Amino acid sequence: MARESAISNTDVTSTSAPSPAKPEVPVAPLRVALIGNPNTGKSTLFNALAGMRVRTGNYPGVTVERRIGRATWDGRAIELLDLPGTYSLSPRSPDEMLAVELLTGCRGDAPPDVVICVCNAAALERHLYLVTQVCETGVPVVVCLNMWDAAERQGIQIDREKLAIRLGAPVVATSASRRTGLDELRRVVVERAQHRPPAAASAGILSAGIQDEVTALRDWLISHGLDESQCPRFVVSRGLLDPGGSVEQRLARQTHREFDQRVREARDRLAAKALVIPGIESTERYRFIGSVVSDTIHEGASRRTGTDGLDALLTHRVFGIIICGLVMMLLFTVIYWVSQPLSDGIDSLIVMLSDQVQAAMAPGPLRSLITDGMLAGVGAVLVFLPQIALLFGFIALLEDCGYMSRAAFMMDRVMALVGLNGRSFLPLMSSFACAVPGVMATRVIEDRRDRFVTILIAPLMSCSARLPVYILMIWTFIPDKVFLGGLLPLRALVLFLMSILGLLVAIPFAWLLRRTVFRGEGSPFLLELPDYRLPGLATVAHRVWESCAAFVTRAGTMIFATSILIWLLAGGSFSGSERYELMRRIESLDPVTQGGEIEELSAELSRLNGRLLETSVLGRFGRSIEPLVEPLGWDWRVGVGVIASFPAREVIIATLGTIFSLGSDVDEESEGLRDAMRSARRPDGEPLFNVPSALALMVFFALCAQCVSTLGVIRRETNSWRWPVFSFVSMTLMAWIGAFLTYQIGMRI
Amino acid sequence: MIKLSQLSSGHSGVVAAVNGSSRLVARMMEMGFVPGALVEVIRKAPFGDPVQYRIRSSRISIRSAEAECVQVIPNETSQTTPRRQAIPA
């Protein structure tokens, strides 16, 4: 970092304003907001300034997350507010409107004391667009040229003093990833807050004609009953300058549509003076920015950055696609080889704990609650964690280094076929491993409708939890035939088809959603491709930590609660019964000498458990819905298994084990379970399972939303209960219809 | 004057006008596609669409359907245009 920015605030504020003698003893924390384009390292800066003291939450009515950090600078308490990344303050959706509301204070809270505009020093020109808009909101601004190190490396020279004078705000250079310039930033921010510029917001750079119309409109609004605080000058200007935007709509609502007429007249008057809205704002701003930039920024002539060279390969017509495929394969390979063993390890740990509890307590409902309800519930949550953490990490790495936008760039054409855009590619790919990180990754999709459609089809991607079910059913019921002279096993073919079934159904589903529920013109696909950079491991780790914590608290509690619920409904609380007697007897025997007796009694216990399940609430419910599942080729036993697996898909295997009196210790490979299923009979002697009903079960699992975790994150990402419910209902319907068709058609072939 | 979508890879031009739906025009112009701005075509995506452009020292990719709304005056010069030219005020 070179010289200090030799700016004192009196240089940039109007000379007529007297600076206050001394700031009063600060009581309330200083509220500092951060705003900036995407890809400016704003999150890294936020994390660097706020450390670990970050609280996340939701604003009502929008899906944007609220991130608030706390810090202490020079003994002064600071509250940091991370505003969503945006290219401009021209809101066209509730999410975009949020930044405008927060900065102008018309959301109820007072506006922040200072706002830091984070810019990418290496590509400053367009970033200044937002800066000029923010300067007009009236909140004191500090301009932060982040990624300064990258700019220096590229030979870009920026005269910060001149820039500060032209913009009317202090300019600080930082490199958040290297933690340089942060002290200066903190100092300048605190100073800026203490020596506030005069109350009137800067007149801005738009021409007088526009300014006069804004004033006239504002006066009109106030005279028509709007409170002054409801229509700050900046908000009124947005109403004028953004046809069809959120502000225009709101002001029209608040004035019973009279505003529409006034604003139309204003725009016509301006058009007559060759000041055409909407284009004129951008033209005038960029004219100003152009002159500022030519004055203050100098770079070496004609340099091609490393990024362009790398892009030539990575977005190449042939190699680009191949590399993208390889990256995706790497993702799945890492998941398989790394997270699988970790999950197994966690599983073993839970089993060990369970054994300890079993050894320490006498058999009874409490012990059962702890081992089969609570520990199983905790286990169900934790077993997800390695996979989720890895996926988040991978996604964060790809996003941070800049590759994610290249993948979106290359895949856009394919995604456009179903009405989505390239940004949906990575979230949907991730959902093939697990929909939880996939749904959370949809945050990068700017357009609200596109994001919601992606969120709703993500659970259809065949996730890794469905695999054990497929393997069990295929290896038990699909014959071991081979086609093409040994090259194409039938079982592998069926497995492949089941895995892509969800994807095949998702395509028309997405198309349909886009035509019905989420109808409307999509936003333009304007995708920025930032310079490649080495991902900041601290930022990535931070994000992984935050996401995992969010998962454990939100989705985790749901999984935990549903596990206990299922335990209850499956007869777990049955007290004083034969079951605990048997368990006591088994545990009192010596495994070495009385092995045979233990086996006998264990078999009796398994049969008893099976009967208890049948008479439990769950079992009785399964019987009562039997008419619903019969057309799918199942009976009540399979029905119970399906219901029990609604918290998490793999549960069906353990449940089937219990139903067939094998105990719940089975997995998809256990021959005992496979034999039991093959030989299971209906009351009339017919086999319970045949190929069509096995296929129907797999189809059901392929299309059904049996995952409380996914529903939990959908709730979180859409900030409403409507969409998880919609997802659950629509997918269950699709699953039922799919299984029905499979069984009925299968029986007739 | 041609449409931006008709400019080929490696060539550049100066934006003359932006026409189209109000929403599209507003977004494009916010991103820098303003009359007088220099825009360079970097490359097309593997499947032909979208296309990467360099505008105001950033790389932005746009679909052809959207690029059609921008009218440009092509530069006769070749691939190696300087990364930035001072835009006359």
Side-chain angles (χ1 to χ4, degrees):
Chain A
M1 289 289 108
R3 14 154 238 227
E4 284 258 317
S5 174
I7 305 200
S8 85
N9 289 290
T10 46
D11 287 349
V12 299
T13 55
S14 141
T15 47
S16 61
S19 43
K22 215 180 210 128
E24 292 105 47
V25 176
V27 177
L30 191 65
R31 297 170 62 241
V32 178
L34 271 86
I35 196 170
N37 285 187
N39 300 310
T40 49
K42 182 166 66 71
S43 334
T44 314
L45 183 66
F46 181 80
N47 292 336
L49 292 174
M52 294 294 278
R53 297 166 67 195
V54 176
R55 249 179 34 235
T56 55
N58 275 109
Y59 292 104
V62 294
T63 61
V64 173
E65 202 182 40
R66 172 192 180 122
R67 293 180 78 212
I68 300 193
R70 296 202 186 280
T72 316
W73 299 348
D74 269 347
R76 185 79 204 265
I78 310 282
E79 185 180 283
L80 287 160
L81 179 64
D82 192 13
L83 294 175
T86 184
Y87 289 109
S88 79
L89 289 180
S90 310
R92 286 182 196 89
S93 70
D95 285 1
E96 287 176 14
M97 187 63 182
L98 186 70
V100 172
E101 288 172 338
L102 289 172
L103 285 176
T104 55
C106 58
R107 199 171 231 264
D109 301 322
D113 298 308
V114 181
V115 58
I116 303 177
C117 284
V118 185
C119 307
N120 180 353
L124 188 54
E125 201 173 340
R126 196 204 56 244
H127 294 238
L128 291 179
Y129 191 88
L130 180 64
V131 174
T132 60
Q133 287 183 325
V134 175
C135 286
E136 287 170 17
T137 60
V139 182
V141 173
V142 172
V143 177
C144 173
L145 302 182
N146 199 22
M147 300 168 156
W148 184 261
D149 51 328
E152 275 188 328
R153 247 181 290 125
Q154 290 176 28
I156 301 175
Q157 295 167 330
I158 305 180
D159 187 340
R160 281 174 292 168
E161 276 104 1
K162 254 197 201 163
L163 186 60
I165 294 172
R166 294 298 300 272
L167 294 177
V171 173
V172 180
T174 61
S175 168
S177 52
R178 305 226 174 141
R179 300 284 205 268
T180 47
L182 300 183
D183 290 328
E184 192 191 334
L185 178 64
R186 288 187 262 252
R187 187 182 56 77
V188 171
V189 167
V190 173
E191 255 185 67
R192 186 71 165 160
Q194 289 171 352
H195 302 107
R196 294 177 74 94
S202 86
I205 49 188
L206 300 177
S207 53
I210 299 177
Q211 303 285 7
D212 293 336
E213 292 290 351
V214 173
T215 313
L217 272 173
R218 184 159 191 261
D219 293 336
W220 180 87
L221 283 167
I222 293 174
S223 73
H224 270 66
L226 256 71
D227 192 55
E228 277 206 29
S229 64
Q230 284 178 298
C231 51
R233 190 184 172 80
F234 184 73
V235 172
V236 177
S237 72
R238 288 333 314 169
L240 174 65
L241 296 168
D242 301 327
S246 302
V247 176
E248 185 192 82
Q249 286 172 17
R250 167 195 294 187
L251 289 175
R253 267 200 315 269
Q254 288 173 326
T255 57
H256 308 290
R257 308 234 64 98
E258 286 174 43
F259 182 74
D260 286 339
Q261 173 80 352
R262 299 291 307 198
V263 82
R264 202 178 324 136
E265 285 167 4
R267 289 183 191 144
D268 290 340
R269 281 194 292 271
L270 288 170
K273 298 184 210 166
L275 301 170
V276 180
I277 288 170
I280 190 63
E281 181 192 5
S282 305
T283 311
E284 290 191 355
R285 285 193 197 277
Y286 276 117
R287 190 180 303 148
F288 171 74
I289 291 171
S291 87
V292 170
V293 155
S294 58
D295 225 11
T296 57
I297 302 184
H298 306 279
E299 36 180 296
S302 182
R303 55 183 168 77
R304 293 191 80 70
T305 61
T307 300
D308 294 308
L310 214 49
D311 263 344
L313 174 68
L314 293 177
T315 55
H316 186 268
R317 266 197 357 239
V318 177
F319 297 120
I321 300 283
I322 294 177
I323 292 175
C324 194
L326 287 175
V327 169
M328 292 299 123
M329 271 179 62
L330 180 67
L331 170 63
F332 290 115
T333 316
V334 165
I335 301 292
Y336 187 71
W337 287 110
V338 179
S339 74
Q340 223 9 52
L342 283 173
S343 292
D344 291 341
I346 292 182
D347 214 18
S348 315
L349 216 70
I350 299 285
V351 167
M352 212 171 65
L353 259 173
S354 198
D355 289 340
Q356 297 286 358
V357 171
Q358 282 198 334
M361 292 175 69
L366 182 61
R367 189 179 86 171
S368 180
L369 171 64
I370 294 179
T371 56
D372 300 331
M374 293 166 90
L375 277 180
V378 168
V381 178
L382 292 182
V383 123
F384 262 115
L385 265 183
Q387 192 178 72
I388 288 185
L390 269 173
L391 271 170
F392 280 134
F394 206 87
I395 293 174
L397 273 172
L398 286 181
E399 204 182 322
D400 229 35
C401 73
Y403 184 72
M404 177 121 108
S405 48
R406 270 78 184 174
F409 172 67
M410 290 190 284
M411 293 300 156
D412 182 58
R413 184 76 190 272
V414 173
M415 306 260 80
L417 293 172
V418 289
L420 292 174
N421 69 45
R423 288 188 183 92
S424 304
F425 177 68
L426 197 61
L428 289 176
M429 271 294 120
S430 318
S431 303
F432 270 101
C434 178
V436 173
V439 167
M440 289 177 82
T442 56
R443 287 195 195 166
V444 297
I445 303 172
E446 288 173 4
D447 182 66
R448 188 185 197 154
R449 280 182 281 240
D450 283 342
R451 186 172 355 127
F452 277 38
V453 171
T454 311
I455 287 177
L456 289 173
I457 65 174
L460 282 169
M461 305 296 123
S462 183
C463 74
S464 51
R466 288 170 166 107
L467 218 47
V469 180
Y470 295 162
I471 290 176
L472 174 66
M473 301 307 289
I474 291 177
W475 258 254
T476 309
F477 296 108
I478 304 288
D480 200 0
K481 289 210 200 103
V482 177
F483 298 123
L484 297 183
L487 283 176
L488 189 61
L490 178 61
R491 288 176 173 171
L493 180 64
V494 174
L495 184 60
F496 175 70
L497 287 173
M498 283 301 151
S499 303
I500 62 168
L501 179 63
L503 175 63
L504 293 175
V505 170
I507 293 174
F509 189 46
W511 184 89
L512 188 68
L513 283 173
R514 222 40 188 86
R515 295 278 157 142
T516 54
V517 185
F518 297 103
R519 198 185 352 216
E521 194 195 322
S523 348
F525 178 70
L526 288 169
L527 175 71
E528 188 181 356
L529 289 96
D531 284 339
Y532 285 114
R533 62 175 194 265
L534 280 177
L537 289 180
T539 318
V540 169
H542 209 274
R543 211 172 310 171
V544 171
W545 170 257
E546 261 184 37
S547 310
C548 287
F551 168 71
V552 170
T553 46
R554 303 295 192 96
T557 41
M558 279 179 77
I559 303 178
F560 186 69
T562 8
S563 294
I564 298 199
L565 183 66
I566 297 283
W567 175 84
L568 261 173
L569 295 178
S573 61
F574 220 108
S575 62
S577 68
E578 287 172 67
R579 173 201 286 178
Y580 299 119
E581 245 325 294
L582 262 175
M583 286 167 89
R584 250 171 253 140
R585 278 174 62 194
I586 293 174
E587 285 167 28
S588 65
L589 293 174
D590 174 28
V592 179
T593 55
Q594 298 162 299
E597 220 182 310
I598 290 185
E599 256 192 65
E600 243 181 72
L601 287 175
S602 299
E604 200 184 316
L605 179 62
S606 297
R607 284 194 295 275
L608 179 63
N609 278 334
R611 286 201 300 276
L612 282 173
L613 180 58
E614 194 175 334
T615 53
S616 70
V617 173
L618 197 61
R620 281 176 286 162
F621 186 64
R623 275 210 183 277
S624 65
I625 63 162
E626 201 167 16
L628 269 178
V629 302
E630 256 170 27
L632 311 179
W634 309 337
D635 74 351
W636 70 272
R637 288 172 283 181
V638 183
V640 168
V642 169
I643 297 173
S645 61
F646 267 91
R649 293 177 173 102
E650 322 82 87
V651 172
I652 189 173
I653 298 183
T655 313
L656 285 174
T658 309
I659 290 174
F660 293 112
S661 302
L662 295 166
S664 54
D665 265 349
V666 296
D667 68 12
E668 65 272 16
E669 319 229 320
S670 78
E671 282 304 323
L673 179 59
R674 292 182 184 180
D675 287 333
M677 288 172 75
R678 279 192 209 107
S679 49
R681 294 264 174 273
R682 295 167 189 268
D684 62 1
E686 286 295 311
L688 170 59
F689 284 109
N690 52 23
V691 173
S693 66
L695 286 173
L697 186 63
M698 286 194 279
V699 168
F700 191 90
F701 268 75
L703 301 177
C704 193
Q706 288 151 301
C707 183
V708 156
S709 336
T710 308
L711 294 175
V713 292
I714 292 181
R715 150 92 182 86
R716 180 171 187 254
E717 291 301 311
T718 58
N719 202 16
S720 106
W721 279 104
R722 186 196 311 175
W723 299 111
V725 168
F726 177 81
S727 177
F728 179 76
V729 169
S730 58
M731 284 180 74
T732 307
L733 263 169
M734 281 195 287
W736 194 93
I737 295 174
F740 177 76
L741 289 172
T742 310
Y743 181 69
Q744 297 295 338
I745 296 177
M747 287 301 278
R748 284 164 182 62
I749 292 182
Chain B
M1 216 160 61
I2 58 172
K3 293 189 203 159
L4 182 59
S5 46
Q6 294 167 312
L7 207 54
S8 25
S9 291
H11 290 90
S12 62
V14 175
V15 176
V18 184
N19 313 303
S21 83
S22 165
R23 185 184 185 156
L24 178 61
V25 166
R27 270 315 294 281
M28 297 281 283
M29 292 186 77
E30 269 169 20
M31 294 300 268
F33 288 90
V34 159
L38 182 71
V39 56
E40 180 196 332
V41 181
I42 304 178
R43 69 174 57 79
K44 288 192 163 73
F47 298 120
D49 203 25
V51 182
Q52 261 188 54
Y53 299 96
R54 196 183 317 272
I55 180 129
R56 298 190 188 274
S57 60
S58 295
R59 278 171 224 92
I60 308 282
S61 108
I62 313 176
R63 290 178 174 170
S64 305
E66 290 151 1
E68 287 205 347
C69 76
V70 181
Q71 306 271 344
V72 296
I73 302 169
N75 288 351
E76 310 85 35
T77 52
S78 63
Q79 334 278 83
T80 54
T81 43
R83 199 157 183 273
R84 177 208 303 286
Q85 282 177 357
I87 312 299

